[in-house]
Amino acid sequence: MSDPLRLGIAGLGTVGVGVVKIVRQKAAMLQSRTGREITISAISARTRDKDRGVSLTGYAWEDDPVTLATRDDVDVFVELMGGSDGPAKAATEAALAAGKDVVTANKAMLALHGQSLAEAAESAGAVLRFEAAVAGGIPVIKSLTEGLAGNEITRVMGVMNGTCNYILTRMQSAGLPYEEVFEEANQLGFLEADPELDVGGIDAGHKLALLASIAYGTQVAFSEVELEGIGQITIEDIRQAADMGYRIKLLGVAQLTGRGLEQRMSPCLVPDSSPLGQLEGGTNMVVIEGDQVGQIVLRGAGAGEGPTASAVLSDVIDIARGTRLSTFGQPATTLRPVTPARATAPAPYYLRMLLQDRPGALAKIATTLGEAGISIDRMRQYGHSSGTAPVLIVTHKTTRASLDEALVAMPATKALAEAPVALRIEEA
Amino acid sequence: MSDPLRLGIAGLGTVGVGVVKIVRQKAAMLQSRTGREITISAISARTRDKDRGVSLTGYAWEDDPVTLATRDDVDVFVELMGGSDGPAKAATEAALAAGKDVVTANKAMLALHGQSLAEAAESAGAVLRFEAAVAGGIPVIKSLTEGLAGNEITRVMGVMNGTCNYILTRMQSAGLPYEEVFEEANQLGFLEADPELDVGGIDAGHKLALLASIAYGTQVAFSEVELEGIGQITIEDIRQAADMGYRIKLLGVAQLTGRGLEQRMSPCLVPDSSPLGQLEGGTNMVVIEGDQVGQIVLRGAGAGEGPTASAVLSDVIDIARGTRLSTFGQPATTLRPVTPARATAPAPYYLRMLLQDRPGALAKIATTLGEAGISIDRMRQYGHSSGTAPVLIVTHKTTRASLDEALVAMPATKALAEAPVALRIEEA
């Protein structure tokens, strides 16, 4: 029998408590599956005296997570504090420098500092794992890093922010406007303290950048993710999309093309009969496409105590079993810097515009699109009201560059009463 | 740089050729992901002279897979011959006895001999892995063994025979009877040489038995899987199920209850809005439920050159990276023997009967059900024809034992013109 694997856990919020519970309550199961005992040596959190619904007796307490991370009786530092910098990063760096393995759920830290942390881990002979940072309980990091490692990945897509998917599907099912459902989600405690992290696509963008790194062997490059939030989506967009056989999702897409790496996190239309289109509520979904395997779809809870703790435990169990993998699937020093590419993969687009109700307005818009090389697949004009006319256009496949060219030229036509909304239609 | 990892591949059918292609064409990618070269030393197949669409020069040829498996220049024996016994088993045993690691796609061999082969692997210090044996390209063995290892698994379900799902969804979409679609599938080459392996549920039952072993830490027990094929499903069943909001799937379910391990592979009704209900055509889906993670759904191609080769490569890559896991997720000697339980988990059932058109016939059936403690949720009787009347009943939740009691008592009522069909309704 091997020695016990001793954890030091920093951060005792929902996820930290979930991890403590599993380690305490499922000790026999974990031991039978790993061949060794998994124990907790020490813990750390902002507040010491607080009933967390689980006994913490027998664990040493550290006020300072850096001290915790470097204790002699800690083999694995489990970082569940969150925050891209500050104590989380300091303690992670200290743990790695001391040769400790690190398991973290911290997507922001890895999205911003993944490359340097992975290099630090490797030069110390330690492993740094982060299954819980992306899509909660779904074993997506493992699937991509290991299960599909025989593939050249051709596209990774995902709905990875449950709050946004809740808002969008609730708008549709209840017929409510964005502002009202946003407030509802807020009341239910679904939103981050800074809601822009959710509805602005930042949180999901962090996750996409991590997936892209593994998929394409590139250095994490969150700053190159094209971010667009869901705040501009109206109930009318959702209804019109539904009417045409689509659903609107905050969708992350990463693709490596001849021009470089595309990383987009933006509201997209997807076919309502596709797995992504059928995804309701707060559930997450990741779609991985490989040259050998075709399309693999993974679906499950993206947040919450149990699902996230399950993912943390999978990394801990790997370490207990002696599995030692590079953070992003290959040595960090071999990851290539990203050449970012703006969306070059052509796609059809959905355009919503409000036309001035005057003769020739629609013709001017159609001409502007035509001059940018964009042809119209479907068009609908609605009944006039107060001097303006809503128009919806679905284009044939075009590039984002052509579309931008048309969008830039539109104001000069004076045909529009407000700025148009353009959403990509992603084949799913 | 580590030494190359040298493969010996036995079996050059679709999957074997797919594996050779990846190793040849993606050498640089595999090396960057594993840190070592993956090479092929020797190959073996039934027929030597045959154009397989890929160059085999540079590989030693062995007529006898046993000789191949034990060659000095083979580190990993890749068994892709198939067949539960015979050369596949002999060569696997020889490889393990010689301390070689083994990667196989052979579900039948593992379903029948998994326990003894896993023990042989462990006593030789070798690993025996089989990602490709279950659900083709879907990384389900990895997800269950590793990604969800922090969970007590509460239920595993799956549609794991693409041919059956093709037949059932094609019957529905084209409105064709079973016999006609079966013949169509046969023409398309979708069926095994012995079609009973597909439509009788045997192939999918093998896969279910492997998943159950990992999920519950029990010895593989294919002989205890309750098997029921799809041959009795009529187009009317499919239409009626659709009418009530269900789809019919050949569904495998494994559950550990207080009474023991239930393993069922049988046609079931699932809600049409569930991921399983929405699964069309030849695609596979596995649903894993854990006490922490909730429900995880994995979907992808269950067969074919690329997807299956992708799964084989994932095992090879694990070995190249130094990952060494027990075949069924814990040492084979610690796996518990199965106490089989007939379906004790209560469920609603769908019953199709043909009543004699005589007064009181329906009352007798209802009485028989009531006497077995089964209450009726929904009932439909259709227009009479030629002296008989079709009746459909959906029961409230009941046990299989109660249902069997009622079914056994029914002939004595003389109310039925033919034997009833009973299908479980599985919450999904």
Side-chain angles (χ1 to χ4, degrees):
Chain A
M1 186 63 62
S2 309
D3 289 336
L5 185 77
R6 302 162 302 172
L7 312 182
I9 302 176
L12 292 171
T14 310
V15 181
V17 166
V19 172
V20 172
K21 281 185 192 163
I22 298 177
V23 172
R24 290 182 76 90
Q25 294 162 9
K26 304 291 171 66
M29 180 188 83
L30 295 175
Q31 185 158 2
S32 73
R33 289 180 181 171
T34 65
R36 54 199 290 204
E37 207 184 338
I38 294 174
T39 62
I40 297 169
S41 297
I43 52 177
S44 173
R46 257 184 300 214
T47 318
R48 181 161 186 177
D49 297 319
K50 182 172 166 185
D51 182 6
R52 295 181 163 92
V54 61
S55 166
L56 301 172
T57 54
Y59 309 148
W61 178 271
E62 295 284 1
D63 285 321
D64 180 2
V66 172
T67 313
L68 174 87
T70 52
R71 284 172 64 104
D72 283 343
D73 60 0
V74 165
D75 302 310
V76 181
F77 175 56
V78 182
E79 189 285 296
L80 303 171
M81 293 179 282
S84 63
D85 293 81
K89 180 160 171 268
T92 298
E93 287 171 340
L96 295 173
K100 314 281 190 193
D101 296 331
V102 175
V103 172
T104 178
N106 193 328
K107 50 205 156 278
M109 177 176 77
L110 286 171
L112 298 182
H113 310 295
Q115 181 65 25
S116 66
L117 292 173
E119 288 181 17
E122 283 164 27
S123 55
V127 300
L128 166 63
R129 306 292 303 151
F130 61 95
E131 183 65 79
V134 181
I138 304 176
V140 58
I141 299 299
K142 183 166 279 289
S143 294
L144 196 54
T145 313
E146 305 169 52
L148 304 174
N151 289 264
E152 266 179 48
I153 302 301
T154 49
R155 186 168 61 162
V156 181
M157 299 192 286
V159 169
M160 297 181 286
N161 183 284
T163 303
C164 288
N165 205 51
Y166 169 84
I167 291 175
L168 292 170
T169 54
R170 172 92 176 129
M171 282 171 73
Q172 173 152 22
S173 62
L176 293 172
Y178 175 79
E179 292 71 21
E180 208 165 310
V181 179
F182 177 91
E183 198 41 48
E184 208 179 86
N186 201 15
Q187 298 289 335
L188 289 165
F190 287 0
L191 285 159
E192 301 271 354
D194 173 6
E196 207 44 31
L197 287 174
D198 288 314
V199 298
I202 298 169
D203 163 83
H206 287 153
K207 298 169 186 169
L208 183 69
L210 297 173
L211 293 181
S213 169
I214 302 170
Y216 304 113
T218 48
Q219 296 180 4
V220 191
F222 169 67
S223 63
E224 303 297 345
V225 177
E226 291 183 68
L227 281 182
E228 198 180 308
I230 62 170
Q232 60 171 341
I233 305 297
T234 66
I235 179 70
E236 276 312 306
D237 289 325
I238 288 179
R239 285 194 184 125
Q240 294 300 340
D243 215 38
M244 294 185 294
Y246 294 106
R247 295 285 181 272
I248 299 181
K249 300 287 168 192
L250 177 65
L251 186 69
V253 182
Q255 268 176 294
L256 193 65
T257 70
R259 305 204 186 171
L261 179 64
E262 294 182 22
Q263 302 177 98
R264 304 183 290 277
M265 180 58 66
S266 61
C268 288
L269 278 66
V270 294
D272 58 10
S273 61
S274 67
L276 283 166
Q278 291 163 349
L279 189 71
E280 303 277 320
T283 310
N284 281 19
M285 181 176 284
V286 181
V287 177
I288 304 172
E289 294 171 353
D291 64 342
Q292 303 297 324
V293 80
Q295 187 183 73
I296 294 288
V297 180
L298 312 172
R299 172 192 158 122
E305 176 181 316
T308 314
S310 165
V312 170
L313 259 292
S314 98
D315 284 336
V316 169
I317 289 168
D318 273 3
I319 292 169
R321 284 170 166 166
T323 300
R324 301 193 70 76
L325 299 171
S326 303
T327 305
F328 297 105
Q330 61 186 68
T333 49
T334 68
L335 296 165
R336 285 168 293 120
V338 160
T339 307
R342 298 287 135 182
T344 52
Y349 280 83
Y350 161 96
L351 302 175
R352 168 167 52 87
M353 330 190 157
L354 196 60
L355 287 196
Q356 299 287 2
D357 184 14
R358 70 170 75 109
L362 186 56
K364 284 180 186 163
I365 293 303
T367 303
T368 308
L369 288 170
E371 283 169 359
I374 299 169
S375 62
I376 293 173
D377 178 18
R378 283 186 274 175
M379 201 272 293
R380 290 178 185 189
Q381 181 166 344
Y382 291 86
H384 300 204
S385 71
S386 62
T388 58
V391 169
L392 300 172
I393 291 174
V394 171
T395 73
H396 282 290
K397 274 192 179 184
T398 180
T399 61
R400 181 76 214 192
S402 299
L403 187 72
D404 286 343
E405 186 187 323
L407 292 175
V408 164
M410 279 184 194
T413 65
K414 300 202 179 350
L416 295 178
E418 60 177 43
V421 167
L423 303 176
R424 185 181 170 97
I425 301 178
E426 187 79 31
E427 287 168 30
Chain B
M1 185 62 64
S2 310
D3 289 336
L5 186 77
R6 301 164 302 172
L7 312 182
I9 302 176
L12 292 172
T14 310
V15 181
V17 166
V19 171
V20 172
K21 281 185 193 163
I22 298 177
V23 172
R24 289 183 76 91
Q25 293 161 10
K26 304 291 171 68
M29 180 189 84
L30 295 174
Q31 185 158 2
S32 73
R33 289 181 180 169
T34 64
R36 54 199 289 205
E37 206 183 339
I38 294 174
T39 62
I40 297 169
S41 297
I43 52 178
S44 172
R46 255 183 301 213
T47 319
R48 181 161 185 177
D49 297 320
K50 183 172 165 184
D51 182 6
R52 295 182 164 91
V54 62
S55 166
L56 302 171
T57 53
Y59 309 148
W61 178 271
E62 294 284 0
D63 285 321
D64 180 3
V66 172
T67 313
L68 174 87
T70 52
R71 281 173 65 104
D72 282 345
D73 59 0
V74 165
D75 302 310
V76 181
F77 175 57
V78 181
E79 189 286 296
L80 302 172
M81 293 178 283
S84 63
D85 293 81
K89 180 161 171 268
T92 298
E93 287 171 339
L96 295 174
K100 314 281 190 193
D101 295 332
V102 175
V103 172
T104 178
N106 193 329
K107 49 205 158 279
M109 178 176 75
L110 285 171
L112 298 182
H113 310 294
Q115 181 64 25
S116 66
L117 292 173
E119 289 182 16
E122 283 163 29
S123 55
V127 300
L128 167 63
R129 305 294 302 153
F130 62 93
E131 183 65 80
V134 180
I138 304 175
V140 58
I141 299 299
K142 183 166 279 291
S143 294
L144 196 54
T145 313
E146 305 170 52
L148 304 173
N151 290 263
E152 267 180 48
I153 302 300
T154 49
R155 186 168 61 161
V156 181
M157 298 192 285
V159 169
M160 297 181 286
N161 183 284
T163 303
C164 287
N165 204 50
Y166 169 83
I167 291 175
L168 293 170
T169 55
R170 171 91 177 130
M171 282 171 74
Q172 172 152 21
S173 62
L176 293 172
Y178 175 79
E179 293 70 20
E180 208 164 312
V181 179
F182 177 91
E183 197 41 48
E184 209 178 85
N186 201 14
Q187 298 289 334
L188 290 165
F190 288 180
L191 284 158
E192 300 270 356
D194 173 5
E196 207 44 32
L197 287 175
D198 288 314
V199 299
I202 298 169
D203 162 83
H206 287 152
K207 299 169 184 167
L208 183 69
L210 296 174
L211 293 181
S213 170
I214 301 169
Y216 304 113
T218 48
Q219 296 179 6
V220 191
F222 169 67
S223 62
E224 302 298 343
V225 177
E226 291 184 67
L227 281 182
E228 199 180 306
I230 62 169
Q232 60 171 340
I233 305 296
T234 66
I235 179 70
E236 276 312 306
D237 289 325
I238 288 179
R239 285 193 183 126
Q240 293 300 338
D243 217 38
M244 295 185 293
Y246 295 105
R247 295 285 180 272
I248 300 181
K249 300 288 169 191
L250 177 65
L251 186 69
V253 182
Q255 267 176 296
L256 192 64
T257 70
R259 306 202 186 174
L261 179 64
E262 295 183 20
Q263 302 177 97
R264 303 184 290 276
M265 179 57 67
S266 61
C268 288
L269 278 66
V270 295
D272 57 12
S273 60
S274 66
L276 283 167
Q278 291 164 346
L279 189 71
E280 303 276 320
T283 311
N284 280 19
M285 180 175 284
V286 180
V287 178
I288 305 172
E289 293 172 354
D291 64 342
Q292 303 297 324
V293 81
Q295 187 182 74
I296 295 287
V297 179
L298 311 172
R299 172 191 158 122
E305 176 181 317
T308 314
S310 165
V312 170
L313 259 293
S314 99
D315 285 334
V316 169
I317 288 167
D318 273 3
I319 292 169
R321 284 171 167 166
T323 300
R324 302 194 70 76
L325 298 171
S326 304
T327 305
F328 297 105
Q330 62 186 67
T333 48
T334 69
L335 296 164
R336 286 166 293 119
V338 160
T339 309
R342 298 287 135 182
T344 51
Y349 280 83
Y350 160 96
L351 301 175
R352 168 167 53 86
M353 327 188 161
L354 196 60
L355 287 195
Q356 300 287 3
D357 184 13
R358 69 169 75 112
L362 186 56
K364 284 180 185 163
I365 294 303
T367 303
T368 308
L369 288 170
E371 283 170 359
I374 300 168
S375 63
I376 294 172
D377 179 18
R378 282 186 275 176
M379 200 271 294
R380 291 177 184 189
Q381 180 167 344
Y382 291 86
H384 301 203
S385 73
S386 62
T388 57
V391 169
L392 301 172
I393 292 174
V394 171
T395 72
H396 282 290
K397 276 192 178 184
T398 180
T399 61
R400 181 75 213 194
S402 299
L403 187 72
D404 285 343
E405 186 187 324
L407 292 175
V408 164
M410 278 184 194
T413 65
K414 299 203 175 0
L416 294 179
E418 59 177 43
V421 167
L423 303 176
R424 184 180 170 99
I425 300 177
E426 189 78 31
E427 288 168 29

